[in-house]
Amino acid sequence: MPASRYTVSDVMTHTAVAIGREASYKEIVELMHQWKVSAVPVLEGEGRVVGVVSEADLLPKEEFRRTDPSLPGQLEEASKAAGVLAEELMSSPAITVHPDAPVAEAARIMALRHVKRLPVVNALGMLEGVVSRSDLLKVFLRPDEELAEEIRQSVLTELTPGVNMDFAVQDGVVTLRGPLRDRALVPLLARAIRAVEGVVDVRMEELNGAVAA
């Protein structure tokens, strides 16, 4: 069964705002405000990503304006509070993703690393764009008709050949009805449909008795 065709390159912002190592604190803040972004990649050379400056990297300057760090875990933040250039403020190495990575992989990285934006880099580490949380949600804008066609071609044809399965897609929710003699197929079918990018939920019912999935 083919995997979903949606990758990071399909949803990312190809024109990315970036800075160099020598960018000043105020310049970074102004750039974030102007472009309404929460983080910017730091580049060197021909465009290789060496770090990222995020809002979290900038806030310690305000946090420790009048106080000294009181906990051991605050020492790194306190050192950033003294930073005035991107190379002193950035988190490095940068957490990045490749353009051909599945959308689900980018979402997983963001969740695990607690970041809102990821620089998208090629095999040489050169910046190709940026993907954000809002970019990843674009897959849920796929029309119901498009989802239905992919489910029909990529899932049902593969898993239930010769079986007349009736299904409908409304607001991304797939309702599937039909005779399934092999109940072992129910969780497999539900999992395969959920793997289609843009599917919100799956509801399955057998014509001869309901089957929840």
Side-chain angles (χ1 to χ4, degrees), residues 17-85:
V17 182
I19 56 176
R21 285 180 175 271
E22 301 301 314
S24 69
Y25 185 99
K26 188 170 184 177
E27 180 184 349
I28 298 169
V29 173
E30 289 174 344
L31 201 61
M32 286 184 177
H33 177 73
Q34 177 185 350
W35 292 95
K36 295 179 174 57
V37 295
S38 58
V40 288
V42 182
L43 310 181
E44 71 175 9
E46 297 298 317
R48 186 169 63 88
V49 178
V50 293
V52 171
V53 177
S54 69
E55 292 169 335
D57 296 315
L58 299 174
L59 283 175
K61 189 170 290 293
E62 180 64 27
E63 180 182 356
F64 295 107
R65 184 179 297 279
R66 294 184 178 88
T67 61
D68 292 324
S70 57
L71 300 173
Q74 293 179 323
L75 294 178
E76 182 180 353
E77 292 184 355
S79 68
K80 288 192 176 185
V84 294
L85 300 177

Side-chain angles (χ1 to χ4, degrees), residues 6-191:
Y6 275 77
T7 63
V8 168
S9 63
D10 294 317
V11 298
M12 74 182 192
T13 301
H14 291 265
T15 304
V17 182
I19 56 176
R21 285 180 175 271
E22 301 301 314
S24 69
Y25 185 99
K26 188 170 184 177
E27 180 184 349
I28 298 169
V29 173
E30 289 174 344
L31 201 61
M32 286 184 177
H33 177 73
Q34 177 185 350
W35 292 95
K36 295 179 174 57
V37 295
S38 58
V40 288
V42 182
L43 310 181
E44 71 175 9
E46 297 298 317
R48 186 169 63 88
V49 178
V50 293
V52 171
V53 177
S54 69
E55 292 169 335
D57 296 315
L58 299 174
L59 283 175
K61 189 170 290 293
E62 180 64 27
E63 180 182 356
F64 295 107
R65 184 179 297 279
R66 294 184 178 88
T67 61
D68 292 324
S70 57
L71 300 173
Q74 293 179 323
L75 294 178
E76 182 180 353
E77 292 184 355
S79 68
K80 288 192 176 185
V84 294
L85 300 177
E87 62 183 0
E88 301 165 336
L89 297 160
M90 68 184 185
S91 296
S92 181
I95 303 167
T96 62
V97 68
H98 292 296
D100 59 353
V103 167
E105 180 180 331
R108 198 156 44 240
I109 293 172
M110 286 186 188
L112 291 174
R113 304 303 293 268
H114 304 289
V115 295
K116 299 177 181 179
R117 295 166 63 83
L118 290 172
V120 182
V121 300
N122 62 20
L124 300 176
M126 310 294 280
L127 184 68
E128 293 198 355
V130 170
V131 66
S132 66
R133 290 176 177 176
S134 60
D135 290 329
L136 298 183
L137 293 176
K138 290 177 184 176
V139 295
F140 292 102
L141 298 177
R142 297 181 69 189
D144 289 341
E145 297 77 10
E146 185 178 318
L147 292 174
E149 183 62 21
E150 181 170 342
I151 291 167
R152 184 179 295 107
Q153 297 295 331
S154 301
V155 179
L156 299 184
T157 301
E158 293 280 339
L159 294 180
T160 58
V163 178
N164 184 24
M165 298 292 295
D166 176 39
F167 75 100
V169 184
Q170 183 173 2
D171 296 330
V173 177
V174 181
T175 302
L176 192 64
R177 304 178 183 89
L180 277 178
R181 293 189 180 90
D182 186 357
R183 289 178 177 270
L185 277 177
V186 172
L188 183 62
L189 202 54
R191 189 162 55 248

